[in-house]
Amino acid sequence: MPFHLDQFLPYRLSVAATEISRRFAARYAAEAGLSIPEWRVLAHLGHSGAVSVRDITQRVHLDKSVVSRAASRLQEAGLVAKSDHGGDRRLIVLELTPLGQELMERLSAIADEFQDELRALLGDDAQAFERGLARITGPERG
């Protein structure tokens, strides 16, 4: 039996994730000129408040160097403030500035609209699909 990559579920999920990420990236890039790592850092800070680079790295599945570069660009843009962690000087803590919070409000609306479009595209299968994703990624991500 020959192997068909285009019928292999892990491959199809990867292709779908890449396509969805590309489409969404185009929207927030048009709104704010952000890269994918910058979006992920902002989104995590918008959800979690002030956290360390290490925490962001673990949550958004990016290398520390990628998160650090994104954080530096966001700080230069006035969207993120960096500070030392009180208990551990090796840890850098990031938090949204008021300008970053304003941007996240706008981007959250764009994200909600995009998510609604994806759910509409999935139609009646949307809830089952999301339940399946939750089983794959775990409850903390689903």
Side-chain angles (χ1 to χ4, degrees):
M1 175 162 147
F3 180 79
H4 295 284
L5 184 61
D6 59 346
Q7 295 174 3
F8 186 54
L9 185 57
Y11 173 74
R12 293 175 68 200
L13 286 170
S14 177
V15 169
T18 299
E19 180 62 18
I20 289 167
S21 183
R22 184 190 65 74
R23 288 180 189 181
F24 183 52
R27 293 186 186 197
Y28 58 73
E31 175 68 22
L34 297 174
S35 67
I36 291 172
E38 291 164 349
W39 155 253
R40 288 186 186 178
V41 169
L42 281 178
H44 184 62
L45 292 173
H47 172 74
S48 299
V51 294
S52 71
V53 169
R54 180 179 61 198
D55 291 338
I56 294 171
T57 299
Q58 292 171 347
R59 178 66 179 156
V60 301
H61 301 281
L62 293 171
D63 290 334
K64 183 180 177 190
S65 62
V66 173
V67 171
S68 293
R69 283 192 300 275
S72 292
R73 288 189 301 267
L74 293 168
Q75 182 184 26
E76 290 170 12
L79 301 169
V80 168
K82 290 184 183 180
S83 61
D84 291 334
H85 185 276
D88 186 346
R89 293 238 184 251
R90 295 172 297 172
L91 288 179
I92 301 296
V93 174
L94 303 175
E95 64 183 318
L96 293 178
T97 63
L99 186 62
Q101 291 170 355
E102 286 177 25
L103 177 58
M104 272 313 301
E105 286 178 24
R106 292 196 325 266
L107 293 176
S108 291
I110 291 169
D112 288 342
E113 179 181 301
F114 186 71
Q115 181 165 273
D116 289 345
E117 290 172 17
L118 287 175
R119 285 181 174 144
L121 184 63
L122 290 167
D124 293 339
D125 299 322
Q127 287 184 341
F129 183 77
E130 289 187 59
R131 284 192 305 272
L133 286 177
R135 284 191 299 273
I136 291 169
T137 61
E140 69 280 356
R141 303 214 193 296

